[in-house]
Amino acid sequence: MQISTKFTLAIHILAAVEYFGKTEKVTSDFLASSIGSNPVIIRNLMSDLRNAGLIEIKRGPGGIAITRPLNQITFYDVYEAVEKNKEDLFRFHDNTNPLCPVGRNIHAALYDKLQDVQKEFEKSLQKRKLSDVISDLYREIKNAG
C-alpha cells in the first residue's frame, strides 16, 4: 500500500495541537518532540495542513491553531492534505514474466478490484472524524493516570 507515515504524523500533529494548544505554545519543535521526528518533517506536514485549510500558523508568539471544529475534519481531509501518491493506493510489482500467462495478465485481472478497494477505503476515511480520535485520546490519557 502507498500510505506513508505522513497521515498518522498529521493526525498526531492535530491531536497535539488540540490537546496542548489551550495551555502551551505549540511549535514545530514542540511537535517534533512529541512525535519523535525531525522538526523539518513536521514543518513540511504543517505546511500541507495549512495549505488544506486545516490549521493556521501564527508567526511569533502565536503558535498553531486548528481552523475548523474537530467533528468537521475527516480522516479523508487529512489524507488529502498530506499524501502525495493517492492515485493508486496499491502498487503493482514490476518485471512480471511476459511469457507466463499469470505474469502477463495479473495486472489486468487485479486492477479493477484494487480500484474498488481504494474507493471503499476513501469512503471509510470520509466517515472517520478527528473528533473521534481526540475523544479516545482524552479517555486514554485519563485511564493511564
Side-chain angles (χ1 to χ4, degrees), residues 66-78:
I66 297 174
T67 60
R68 298 194 310 225
L70 300 177
N71 65 354
Q72 293 179 15
I73 299 174
T74 67
F75 280 23
Y76 188 76
D77 295 329
V78 177

Side-chain angles (χ1 to χ4, degrees), residues 42-95:
I42 302 308
R43 283 191 285 276
N44 288 337
L45 288 170
M46 288 170 45
S47 177
D48 290 340
L49 293 170
R50 183 189 67 230
N51 291 340
L54 299 177
I55 63 171
E56 61 183 6
I57 302 169
K58 300 174 185 169
R59 299 287 178 214
I64 303 161
I66 297 174
T67 60
R68 298 194 310 225
L70 300 177
N71 65 354
Q72 293 179 15
I73 299 174
T74 67
F75 280 23
Y76 188 76
D77 295 329
V78 177
Y79 172 74
E80 278 286 298
V82 301
E83 289 295 342
K84 304 304 181 211
N85 296 317
K86 295 180 292 285
E87 296 79 32
D88 287 315
L89 190 59
F90 298 94
R91 280 192 63 208
F92 279 102
H93 50 289
D94 295 327
N95 303 320

Side-chain angles (χ1 to χ4, degrees), residues 25 86 132:
K25 179 181 172 188
K86 295 180 292 285
D132 298 330

Side-chain angles (χ1 to χ4, degrees), residues 11-58:
I11 295 286
H12 188 139
I13 288 169
L14 294 167
V17 168
E18 170 61 24
Y19 185 79
F20 292 109
K22 296 171 185 72
T23 59
E24 303 197 35
K25 179 181 172 188
V26 180
T27 65
S28 58
D29 288 332
F30 181 94
L31 292 167
S33 173
S34 173
I35 292 169
S37 184
N38 185 308
V40 173
I41 292 169
I42 302 308
R43 283 191 285 276
N44 288 337
L45 288 170
M46 288 170 45
S47 177
D48 290 340
L49 293 170
R50 183 189 67 230
N51 291 340
L54 299 177
I55 63 171
E56 61 183 6
I57 302 169
K58 300 174 185 169

Side-chain angles (χ1 to χ4, degrees), residues 4 8 15 19 32 40 45 59 67 69 88 96-97 99 111 136-139:
S4 70
T8 55
Y19 185 79
V40 173
L45 288 170
R59 299 287 178 214
T67 60
D88 287 315
T96 57
N97 183 346
L99 301 177
Y111 183 79
D136 290 349
L137 178 64
Y138 277 104
R139 188 182 68 247

